Amino acid sequence: MVKGGDLVAVMPGHYAGFTLDDRADAGDEHYIHFKALGNPGEVVIDAPTSTDAKWMIVFSAAHHVIVEGFNIAGANEPGQPPSGPRAGILINGDFPLTGKLAHHIAFIGNFSHHHERWGLHSTDSHTVLLQDNLFAFSAMEHGAYVSDGSDDYVIRRNVFFGSNASGLQCNVDAVSSLEKIKDLPELAGLGAYRPTRKVALALINKANEKF
C-alpha cells in the first residue's frame, strides 16, 4: 500500500517480512522509509515475506527506499543443520522480468543474523548505502554478499561477525549479470550463448541498446 514519501513506523513486536516492487511515485525527496520504533532490537522480523519463503525482505526493482533499525532474525542455531529463510534481505533488480535495476536504497542500523546463507544479498542494483548495520552468524556463507551487476555502493561503519565464510563478500561489475540478461526474450538472436569475451561484449552492447 505504500507510496513515495511514506513513513512506515513499526511498533515493537514480531512480524513477517515484506516485498516491495517498483513504485513510480518514489523518487528524490520522496523516499519510502520503513523505521523501527522502540529500543534497539525490539522490532523483530522473524518470518519470511509472503511472496517467497527464501527471503525476509525483498526489494524487486524497488528504488528510493530506507530500512532502519530492524532486528531481522533467522532461525539457524550453531551446530545445527541450516534452517529458515535463505537470507535476511534481497536487493534485486529481477532484471529478466523487469528490465530494471534496484537503486537508491539505504539499509541503516539493522541487525541481520542467523540466516542460512546471507544477512543481505544483492544483485543488479546501484546507488546503495549499507551503514551502521550488524551482520552476524550466517550458517553457510557470508554476513553480506554484494554481487552480479551491483555498482556504486557505499558500505561503511558496519560490523561483520561470526559467519561461516566472509563477513563481507563483494564481486561486483558495472552491468547486469550476463547469466540473467542472456535469457531475456528481447535479446534473442545472438545464437547459442558461449562464455567468451566476444559473445559477452555483443550481448552487453545489444542490452544497452534495448535498455
Side-chain angles (χ1 to χ4, degrees), residues 142-154:
H142 320 300
Y145 182 24
V146 178
S147 70
D148 293 346
S150 296
D151 194 35
D152 190 22
Y153 271 58
V154 174

Side-chain angles (χ1 to χ4, degrees), residues 32 82 87 167:
I32 299 169

Side-chain angles (χ1 to χ4, degrees), residues 2 6-12 15 32-38 43 66 68 70:
V2 297
D6 280 353
L7 170 65
V8 182
V10 186
M11 296 295 290
Y15 299 88
I32 299 169
H33 189 171
F34 297 90
K35 182 175 177 61
L37 303 182
V43 179
I66 302 167
E68 183 178 3
F70 289 85

Side-chain angles (χ1 to χ4, degrees), residues 14-139:
H14 290 254
Y15 299 88
F18 62 92
T19 296
L20 183 69
D21 55 14
D22 179 14
R23 302 300 166 98
D25 49 10
D28 291 344
E29 309 298 331
H30 292 90
Y31 275 72
I32 299 169
H33 189 171
F34 297 90
K35 182 175 177 61
L37 303 182
N39 294 319
E42 288 188 334
V43 179
V44 183
I45 294 176
D46 54 8
T49 173
S50 61
T51 65
D52 190 336
K54 296 189 297 293
W55 314 96
M56 288 190 160
I57 297 174
V58 175
F59 292 146
S60 180
H63 57 92
H64 295 90
V65 187
I66 302 167
V67 176
E68 183 178 3
F70 289 85
N71 178 357
I72 306 171
N76 288 284
E77 294 295 335
Q80 300 298 317
S83 62
R86 180 180 296 175
I89 181 171
L90 174 65
I91 301 173
N92 179 20
D94 206 4
F95 193 83
L97 294 178
T98 67
K100 299 177 180 181
L101 303 182
H103 61 93
H104 288 84
I105 293 171
F107 192 65
I108 301 171
N110 301 284
F111 178 25
S112 188
H113 58 100
H114 288 100
H115 299 289
E116 179 187 291
R117 291 186 180 271
W118 315 290
L120 176 144
H121 180 43
S122 64
T123 66
D124 296 336
S125 55
H126 71 85
T127 318
V128 174
L129 172 65
L130 305 180
Q131 178 175 295
D132 295 333
N133 303 289
L134 172 57
F135 298 101
F137 301 117
S138 293

